[in-house]
Amino acid sequence: MKHRALWTGDGGLQWLTHVSDLLGDIERGWSLQIEEQLSGGTEALVFLVSRAGEPAVLELGIPNSIKAEALTLQHADGHGYAKLLVYDESRDAMLLERLGNNLADSQHSIRQQIVIICETLHAAWRIPVDHRGSQPVRKKRGRKRLSLNRNGVY
């Protein structure tokens, strides 16, 4: 993620220099308790947090990196995605509901995991978003659609 931030230029370098201050400001302003930082993010620092005793996830994106994701989550309103609890566009910060453990780490069979994934995708695909205008996209006639059922995708 550091390389990605540096690649964005001066804004990314400034962000890296001041990200700990930004984190502290958001932690205080949103009344968060930071529990742990997650690894693997390419465009954001991701933290497990709690707010008023409720578990959540905080994403701090490098400059101009999470707006499209935030708009998608806002329009989805928790259907097929984590629910967006708070979004601050000026600071590229999002607070999301915490969903739980990774499906791959569950006791579900591969077949059950596929069904769960398909059901989640089905819910997520109901709310397409046009990120240019940040409005839901109207379905076009004649487009092929995937059919989902308990046996998978057709």
Side-chain angles (χ1 to χ4, degrees), residues 22-136:
L22 174 63
L23 178 60
D25 289 346
I26 290 172
E27 183 179 16
R28 285 184 298 281
W30 292 358
S31 302
L32 303 177
Q33 291 76 46
I34 302 214
E35 297 170 6
E36 89 180 78
Q37 182 176 352
L38 301 177
S39 62
T42 58
E43 293 190 351
L45 293 174
V46 182
F47 300 89
L48 295 180
V49 300
S50 60
R51 181 167 113 167
E54 293 295 320
V57 174
L58 173 65
E59 273 192 44
L60 292 181
I62 59 176
N64 305 308
S65 66
I66 62 172
K67 183 176 182 177
E69 180 183 355
L71 291 172
T72 297
L73 295 172
Q74 186 176 39
H75 286 292
D77 194 30
H79 299 282
Y81 297 90
K83 187 167 183 67
L84 179 64
L85 303 173
V86 180
Y87 172 50
D88 184 334
E89 183 177 353
S90 68
R91 297 191 290 184
D92 290 291
M94 294 188 296
L95 185 65
L96 310 168
E97 80 173 310
R98 192 183 309 178
L99 296 177
N101 296 329
N102 191 326
L103 184 59
D105 298 333
S106 72
Q107 299 299 313
H108 296 294
S109 70
I110 296 296
R111 184 173 189 80
Q112 290 171 318
Q113 290 181 42
I114 291 170
V115 168
I116 292 167
I117 291 167
C118 289
E119 289 172 349
T120 302
L121 287 173
H122 185 69
W125 289 343
R126 291 179 186 203
I127 306 171
V129 175
D130 175 358
H131 296 295
R132 293 166 294 184
S134 72
Q135 297 298 317

